[in-house]
Amino acid sequence: MANILLERTVPLPLDEAWRRITEWRRHGEGVPLTRVGPVPSEPTRVGTLVVARSGIGPLSFDDPMEVTVWEPPEDGAPGMCRLEKRGRVVLGWAELEVRPGPGGRTRVVWREEIRIRLLPSLFDGVVRRSARYVFGRALNRLLRQA
């Protein structure tokens, strides 16, 4: 099992940082060989299922994630979303959080626990480093682009 923690401080209001990191379809734009969709048309809430499809052709797999916590930021209070991975290949969870940061900026925290089914724990270090790199780039992209 690999655990990652990514933190960024950005010059965005809480609600804008939240909007950017919870635009599910855009997550696929920042992760190589991955697309997210279809995304439900109703607003995200507890129970919403987000499905990322990763890979090429017959080597592709779905990574379904269910929203189990949905607490958007309100009136300057922090916001948090938790996704539980429900797939046959990738297991674990992810938490996305926004909170007030220094100087009116927003602190964004992405925590994730990843386990690849059938992959021995010997590879946890490789999974951790790869995930930090890939998700770090995706987070940077989500926060930079409106």
Side-chain angles (χ1 to χ4, degrees), residues 12-64:
L12 297 169
L14 280 173
D15 59 342
E16 179 60 15
W18 176 262
R19 184 190 68 76
R20 290 182 188 194
I21 67 171
T22 61
E23 275 192 69
W24 308 123
R25 191 174 312 280
R26 290 191 56 229
H27 281 246
E29 296 169 8
V31 178
L33 304 175
T34 299
R35 65 181 170 79
V36 177
V39 176
S41 59
E42 72 269 358
T44 299
R45 57 183 164 72
V46 170
T48 295
L49 191 64
V50 178
V51 180
R53 181 143 183 94
S54 297
I56 300 174
L59 300 177
S60 297
F61 62 91
D62 286 339
D63 180 12

Side-chain angles (χ1 to χ4, degrees), residues 70-120:
W70 182 256
E71 299 170 352
E74 284 189 43
D75 300 322
M80 204 268 279
C81 172
R82 181 177 173 102
L83 300 140
E84 297 281 342
K85 295 176 175 287
R86 305 282 193 220
R88 293 183 298 155
V89 177
V90 182
L91 304 169
W93 52 264
E95 291 179 346
L96 307 174
E97 182 181 352
V98 296
R99 60 180 110 138
R105 296 180 293 171
T106 295
R107 188 77 175 156
V108 178
V109 179
W110 178 323
R111 292 178 202 84
E112 188 145 352
E113 179 180 282
I114 304 169
R115 185 168 69 84
I116 310 296
R117 192 182 303 267
L118 303 177
L119 190 65

